[in-house]
Amino acid sequence: MRLILLGPPGAGKGTQATFIKEEFRIPHISTGDIFRQNLRDNTELGQKARVYMNKGKLVPDDLTIELVRDRLSREDCKYGYLLDGFPRNLVQAEALSQFLEERGESLDAVIDIEVDKNSLVERITGRRMCKDCKASFHIHNYPPREEGKCDHCGGELYQREDDREETVLKRIGVYEEETSPLIAYYDRQGKIQKINGNASMEDVKAEVLEALREI
Ligand code: AMP
């Protein structure tokens, strides 16, 4: 199954991705996670990406597209994958279409998680991530059992550099301008599955899994 997760920052894509990955046993490929790992490892790619990420801007398309092509060509993606955070604009979407066409493959669905804009800032600024297993928590909506510590692996929780309010507003703006046109793009291909992301995490999960079982 080849899937894309669309939705503004704070829609809960990472959380739902974990459920989808477990249910359908496909790799979860988050370009944001890959960039953050490169930032931590201080690779050349990480150094290039840092300036854009810390301003809430998109990393240039050539870097991002090459990274994704490379990742999707690996053995574990042979029977499918879940893309989270890619594509982010029409150039990236076209590059993905070309990649799929070259391999005689196609997408199965694009899940679009819709959330009221007003709740996004609160959702993101309260978010805390595990340094080790990347699990996501929220200080009010989904607190860890022990403050600052991951429920799953005991790793240290931290706030992403780009989850601070000024950057969040910028990222939401970038989503509206550059990424949201992809909803119409994939709708024309009959791939969009709209999900109400304002419901509880469990209800969103149920809706997502039901939609995917039906495709
Ligand atoms: P995310 O974790 O998906 O919110 O991504 C965090 C940041 O990584 C974004 O704000 C961008 O700076 C960068 N990023 C992630 N995915 C992409 C992409 N597909 N294209 C360009 N930049 C990206």
Side-chain angles (χ1 to χ4, degrees):
M1 181 136 49
R2 293 182 195 85
L3 306 171
I4 293 177
L5 258 180
L6 274 184
K13 297 192 294 296
T15 307
Q16 296 303 325
T18 311
F19 301 138
I20 297 170
K21 171 176 121 179
E22 279 166 11
E23 181 77 15
F24 298 100
R25 307 201 171 276
I26 48 176
H28 167 210
I29 298 175
S30 153
T31 40
D33 282 350
I34 299 175
F35 283 132
R36 278 185 289 281
Q37 188 63 50
N38 275 274
L39 235 70
R40 278 196 291 276
D41 296 343
N42 205 22
T43 64
E44 202 183 321
L45 175 66
Q47 286 168 12
K48 285 184 188 156
R50 185 186 308 272
V51 269
Y52 301 97
M53 292 176 75
N54 287 348
K55 286 187 190 147
K57 291 184 176 175
L58 294 186
V59 176
D61 289 334
D62 52 346
L63 287 179
T64 310
I65 291 167
E66 195 193 320
L67 172 119
V68 172
R69 285 187 72 100
D70 188 59
R71 180 65 189 87
L72 297 186
S73 304
R74 290 206 216 145
E75 188 64 22
D76 65 336
C77 291
K78 208 166 161 185
Y79 301 109
Y81 41 79
L82 169 65
L83 281 168
D84 163 12
F86 183 92
R88 279 287 228 279
N89 59 26
L90 286 166
V91 173
Q92 296 182 6
E94 290 291 352
L96 177 64
S97 296
Q98 196 192 329
F99 176 83
L100 289 164
E101 211 179 297
E102 282 164 22
R103 301 161 69 93
E105 295 170 350
S106 60
L107 285 173
D108 292 288
V110 177
I111 302 148
D112 172 31
I113 305 183
E114 306 208 315
V115 178
D116 287 343
K117 197 182 161 188
N118 296 340
S119 61
L120 291 177
V121 175
E122 197 270 333
R123 280 180 174 221
I124 307 180
T125 51
R127 184 157 73 176
R128 298 293 179 272
M129 305 258 296
C130 174
K131 276 198 168 140
D132 298 330
C133 75
K134 326 267 183 323
S136 182
F137 296 86
H138 190 281
I139 50 173
H140 303 304
N141 307 339
Y142 184 48
R145 283 192 292 270
E146 196 180 324
E147 202 187 317
K149 206 168 172 185
C150 176
D151 287 358
H152 310 293
C153 74
E156 187 191 337
L157 301 185
Y158 77 109
Q159 183 179 40
R160 279 169 45 175
E161 188 73 33
D162 61 347
D163 276 355
R164 296 173 206 277
E165 193 161 342
E166 333 63 90
T167 321
V168 166
L169 294 171
K170 172 78 190 163
R171 287 166 58 208
I172 294 171
V174 169
Y175 176 81
E176 285 175 344
E177 243 173 67
E178 301 198 42
T179 311
S180 66
L182 297 183
I183 300 169
Y185 175 89
Y186 286 119
D187 207 16
R188 283 194 293 275
Q189 300 179 14
K191 304 282 186 198
I192 290 279
Q193 298 280 343
K194 276 198 193 305
I195 303 292
N196 174 14
N198 297 301
S200 71
M201 188 179 68
E202 282 301 325
D203 286 350
V204 177
K205 173 183 174 182
E207 206 186 323
V208 168
L209 296 184
E210 194 185 319
L212 290 178
R213 283 191 199 109
E214 281 169 10
I215 60 171

